[in-house]
Amino acid sequence: MEKASDVFTRIGSFKYRDCPVVRADTMVEINSDNVVLDHLWLWHADHDDCGGASDSCYSGHGILVEGNDVMGYGLKVEHTMNNLLQWNGERGTVYFFQSELP
């Protein structure tokens, strides 16, 4: 059994990086079976310190699960442009899911 815990992703612009416009088609992709996801927060920034440059950034899927028997505890996905969560694997379980549409 594999485990991913305390994972945070943020798609958006950062002033300390000169406010680039960035892209992520998928923030997290799980391609293995028997994985435990514990406390993931996958976020497309809906505010920034770059005058709204994060609005021009692209984030497709928050999480894409291809593996079977994947279990999630505390999965949060916010503001992605495509599916917040796309679950193609079988026999998956999620015990807490929070989402916020763009």
Side-chain angles (χ1 to χ4, degrees):
M1 175 115 4
E2 299 296 322
K3 183 177 182 182
S5 61
D6 298 324
V7 176
F8 172 74
T9 63
R10 179 186 187 270
I11 304 303
S13 292
F14 296 94
K15 193 170 191 172
Y16 78 94
R17 295 269 188 175
D18 297 323
C19 300
V21 173
V22 298
R23 176 186 182 103
D25 293 324
T26 302
M27 291 187 202
V28 172
E29 185 170 340
I30 305 298
N31 288 311
S32 298
D33 297 338
N34 302 304
V35 175
V36 175
L37 307 172
D38 181 25
H39 187 232
L40 277 68
W41 182 24
L42 316 176
W43 180 48
H44 181 114
D46 56 336
H47 50 82
D48 59 43
D49 59 354
C50 292
S54 290
D55 293 341
S56 298
C57 297
Y58 178 81
S59 59
H61 300 298
I63 184 167
L64 175 59
V65 178
E66 298 289 355
N68 296 323
D69 303 301
V70 174
M71 185 178 300
Y73 297 96
L75 179 57
K76 297 169 278 304
V77 186
E78 300 181 2
H79 311 136
T80 62
M81 279 82 170
N82 208 340
N83 293 328
L84 295 166
L85 166 72
Q86 183 165 330
W87 203 292
N88 297 328
E90 296 188 16
R91 297 176 306 279
T93 307
V94 174
Y95 288 97
F96 174 83
F97 180 70
Q98 174 188 318
S99 65
E100 190 173 308
L101 298 174

